[in-house]
Amino acid sequence: IHLHRKQQYWEAQGIPLLKPFLFFFYGRGRIGTDCHAIDIPNEVYQRFRESGAPLAGMFMLSDPLIILLDLELIKHVLIKDFANFSYRGLYHNLRDDPLMGNLAAIDGPYWKRLRAKLTPSFTTGKMKFMYPTLIKVAEQLPGVVDRRLSDADIIDVKDLSACYTTDVIASSTLGIECDSLHNPLEDFRLITVKFFEEYSVTRDLISQRLPQLAKMLHWTNTPKVVTDFYIKVVRDNIAYRAEHGIVRQDFLQIMIDLIKTEALTMEEIAAQVFVFIIAGYETTSTTMTNCLWELAVNEDIQEQVREEVVQVMQEHDDVLTYECLKQMTYLDQVLKETLRKHPIAPALKRVAYEDYKVPGTNFVIKANTTVLIPSEAIQHDPRYYPEPEKFDPLRFTPEAMEERHPMTFLPFGDGPRNCIGLRFGRMQVLIGLAVMLRKYRFSVAPTTPIPLVYDQTILLRAPKGKVELKCERLVEEKFADHIPKGANVEVENFAASIRERREYEYTDGERNK
Ligand code: HEM
């Protein structure tokens, strides 16, 4: 009877519904093990996208879930009628899990106030200010890569990107120089990894659907050791700065300044620091990994982007300035195409605050209904991106972008609740890529996963296991410039002999296995 009533919810309105196979089960196996949480919503999108209906339905456990199909309706939900869709409806249990009192998880007036206070810390001006901090970390990359290449010509770009991102974020958020690039067992990195390792997609989905029960059971999303670590680091850091009169230009300082006008507790401050690290870590490191993977698979595109990086840097005395990044337009297109093909968040989530009549129709989205914007499915829709599995940065020339509806590209979400760290995340990835491509050539190794296999156990889209690529150090252009004409041949021969030797050692190593 319950199921029947629920199904009537859709049928009464004529909304297309993906009917469950049995009760509320779709017969696709266990979410988080056999399939990814986004697989069924993606199926709804694919099945009904040409039905003419602006939205379609399915069940998540026993609750109706709406999948938006129409781009104009998506624009209404994210931007024009945001006032009715400002809630994300994530589970939080602040009594047992104070770090979940963060900007991404909270809703309502507290979110609105906090977002307004934090937004000024992500302006272009603030990014320029943070730029040297990022460059300082990025400059360590070649040394680290060389060291890792000393006994193999294969590198796990996933691990490398994760270490780089951890160091950038620790330094720009808390002013901590954590150096996990040189020491991957650094506390800060291990604690961040622990958060992701202990995360359970099943527990998260159940707690979002049944928050009261989850609270009664004291369910938390953050392991206690992670909570204790962050609260201690933030408390010690604030006390140290106060004692020594230190004022730094990082995110923690912005929070310290906020205490003057907002009654924020230590837990609330730690929660914001925590979300910048958690939201910034997996997203940026995975984007960098995916991009290097695509460039290894598409070597012609890699050559083209490297040419741009080298040329722009030469115009700036071989220094990677902030202005360089703005001039590297092809690199930016490559990044956009990476985020189009591999969006880290495969869907955006909003909850209707009040009943909402879909403009131009008689459909009503009832209050408290969860609405999903299936960004990954949209970004793979051949109507907007022909041959969606092809990696083609030319889709993102200004002219090509102008021709598409803005809601066809949503890797950072959109509207007042979009990604607050968008500029910071982009800058971080672009710097990392420019530094790496300037010095190294990446190609497919026998151990490279093709295609990329996504991890089913997390809500984000990230590759499973290692992402190993063959990596070859390039001849230093500066060095080549300074040698007499004709001697270039010698340099090339030298480089070729190194390549050959590496090739030999690699195949030899493989044979010996
Ligand atoms: C390539 C990198 C990144 C990607 C792809 C990404 C993607 C996203 C997406 C899709 C959302 C949800 C937007 C929506 O619902 O409309 C989001 C929210 C958020 N992101 Fe990012 N992000 C990235 C980097 C960062 C960084 C570096 C930070 C912090 C410094 C950050 C902090 C946040 C926060 C705090 C939110 C929640 C905002 C709110 O609810 O008001 N992100 N991000």
Side-chain angles (χ1 to χ4, degrees):
I1 293 168
H2 181 66
L3 173 68
H4 182 67
R5 273 213 205 112
K6 292 271 181 183
Q7 291 203 1
Q8 278 182 332
Y9 172 91
W10 307 101
E11 278 158 14
Q13 298 202 55
I15 294 175
L17 165 73
L18 185 72
K19 286 202 173 140
F21 161 70
L22 179 69
F23 298 108
F24 305 111
F25 301 107
Y26 280 91
R28 312 288 190 275
R30 245 183 82 196
I31 291 177
T33 312
D34 308 309
C35 70
H36 191 277
I38 196 63
D39 286 354
I40 305 170
N42 277 356
E43 196 181 324
V44 174
Y45 179 84
Q46 272 140 23
R47 195 173 289 193
F48 299 117
R49 67 186 176 204
E50 287 178 88
S51 66
L55 70 174
M58 60 171 280
F59 289 101
M60 184 57 89
L61 297 182
S62 65
D63 282 340
L65 181 66
I66 282 186
I67 315 293
L68 300 189
L69 307 172
D70 177 69
L71 299 176
E72 273 307 305
L73 176 57
I74 292 175
K75 197 168 172 186
H76 273 278
V77 167
L78 291 180
I79 305 169
K80 292 183 183 166
D81 297 321
F82 175 75
N84 198 45
F85 292 98
S86 71
Y87 282 58
R88 200 172 270 137
L90 298 183
Y91 169 68
H92 43 80
N93 165 11
L94 301 188
R95 180 194 54 196
D96 301 306
D97 194 354
L99 295 191
M100 279 299 124
N102 67 60
L103 190 69
I106 55 171
D107 286 319
Y110 180 40
W111 168 79
K112 199 172 172 192
R113 232 179 38 244
L114 206 55
R115 173 92 191 198
K117 298 276 180 197
L118 293 177
T119 297
S121 30
F122 290 92
T123 57
T124 313
K126 287 277 174 10
M127 293 305 108
K128 267 193 190 169
F129 198 85
M130 297 240 180
Y131 189 79
T133 312
L134 272 69
I135 286 289
K136 206 170 150 207
V137 178
E139 276 171 353
Q140 314 278 321
L141 272 170
V144 172
V145 175
D146 284 348
R147 204 139 56 92
R148 293 191 186 188
L149 286 179
S150 61
D151 40 271
D153 63 353
I154 291 188
I155 197 156
D156 177 5
V157 290
K158 185 168 147 185
D159 183 65
L160 184 77
S161 306
C163 291
Y164 162 67
T165 314
T166 307
D167 290 1
V168 167
I169 292 200
S171 146
S172 48
T173 311
L174 286 165
I176 293 178
E177 292 194 8
C178 90
D179 200 16
S180 57
L181 269 168
H182 291 96
N183 173 19
L185 296 179
E186 183 62 69
D187 272 3
F188 203 85
R189 171 160 151 73
L190 292 186
I191 215 85
T192 310
V193 168
K194 187 159 183 65
F195 172 79
F196 286 101
E197 271 178 3
E198 300 227 341
Y199 169 81
S200 152
V201 75
T202 317
R203 191 188 49 210
D204 194 358
L205 291 177
I206 294 176
S207 55
Q208 284 185 39
R209 294 287 110 216
L210 304 165
Q212 297 312 329
L213 176 70
K215 276 181 194 162
M216 260 170 57
L217 296 172
H218 297 274
W219 279 10
T220 63
N221 280 329
T222 324
K224 189 165 178 325
V225 55
V226 177
T227 306
D228 293 347
F229 175 86
Y230 272 97
I231 292 179
K232 183 174 176 345
V233 166
V234 168
R235 180 174 290 134
D236 291 355
N237 210 315
I238 291 179
Y240 185 82
R241 289 183 193 198
E243 196 183 324
H244 296 87
I246 295 171
V247 176
R248 284 188 54 108
Q249 290 294 341
D250 55 20
F251 293 127
L252 180 64
Q253 191 62 46
I254 291 158
M255 299 305 298
I256 294 172
D257 294 343
L258 260 183
I259 308 175
K260 293 169 194 153
T261 51
E262 291 277 324
L264 289 174
T265 64
M266 196 58 73
E267 281 79 9
E268 285 168 321
I269 297 176
Q272 311 323 315
V273 168
F274 172 72
V275 78
F276 289 159
I277 291 167
I278 294 300
Y281 164 75
E282 185 81 13
T283 47
T284 36
S285 72
T286 304
T287 302
M288 196 165 143
T289 305
N290 294 340
C291 191
L292 289 172
W293 182 87
E294 286 289 355
L295 292 177
V297 172
N298 299 281
E299 284 192 64
D300 50 332
I301 296 176
Q302 186 187 152
E303 287 311 323
Q304 234 176 299
V305 75
R306 177 176 303 105
E307 232 167 73
E308 179 187 75
V309 169
V310 170
Q311 191 198 322
V312 170
M313 280 183 66
Q314 275 172 352
E315 285 167 23
H316 293 260
D317 296 328
D318 228 3
V319 178
L320 184 60
T321 61
Y322 188 81
E323 282 62 40
C324 279
L325 287 194
K326 279 199 285 183
Q327 273 176 259
M328 293 178 184
T329 50
Y330 190 61
L331 179 64
D332 187 49
Q333 284 173 224
V334 165
L335 173 60
K336 287 194 173 102
E337 175 66 346
T338 304
L339 286 163
R340 194 269 316 157
K341 204 176 153 195
H342 310 275
I344 312 298
L348 310 171
K349 186 176 177 232
R350 299 289 188 268
V351 175
Y353 190 68
E354 289 175 345
D355 283 2
Y356 177 78
K357 187 173 167 301
V358 175
T361 73
N362 290 324
F363 298 129
V364 173
I365 300 177
K366 291 235 162 96
N368 292 323
T369 307
T370 300
V371 171
L372 275 196
I373 293 105
S375 35
E376 182 183 72
I378 295 172
Q379 293 177 189
H380 283 78
D381 187 333
R383 292 177 301 171
Y384 312 129
Y385 299 99
E387 293 185 77
E389 292 315 311
K390 185 173 164 198
F391 186 78
D392 180 7
L394 295 179
R395 300 183 204 267
F396 288 95
T397 59
E399 301 74 36
M401 284 185 74
E402 193 64 34
E403 279 175 18
R404 272 190 307 267
H405 194 289
M407 297 297 113
T408 54
F409 185 59
L410 296 166
F412 295 100
D414 211 334
R417 200 151 193 186
N418 72 345
C419 173
I420 198 170
L422 179 158
R423 285 196 186 94
F424 188 75
R426 282 190 62 242
M427 181 166 86
Q428 193 179 337
V429 177
L430 289 173
I431 292 176
L433 288 173
V435 168
M436 297 292 284
L437 292 167
R438 167 80 179 78
K439 305 257 176 190
Y440 304 94
R441 177 176 293 123
F442 297 90
S443 55
V444 171
T447 46
T448 304
I450 298 182
L452 269 188
V453 178
Y454 291 131
D455 191 342
Q456 316 268 36
T457 62
I458 52 173
L459 275 184
L460 297 177
R461 281 295 205 192
K464 189 179 172 188
K466 292 181 179 180
V467 179
E468 291 188 327
L469 300 178
K470 198 165 162 193
C471 177
E472 174 196 341
R473 197 181 218 286
L474 297 164
V475 180
E476 281 280 348
E477 265 72 17
K478 265 201 162 168
F479 174 51
D481 282 345
H482 288 102
I483 47 178
K485 266 191 171 168
N488 273 334
V489 181
E490 247 170 68
V491 174
E492 263 312 310
N493 287 346
F494 174 66
S497 77
I498 290 184
R499 248 177 268 144
E500 250 167 48
R501 187 164 53 96
R502 290 222 173 111
E503 194 72 44
Y504 170 75
E505 280 164 6
Y506 180 73
T507 44
D508 204 35
E510 277 293 292
R511 242 179 276 131
N512 289 341
K513 252 189 199 167

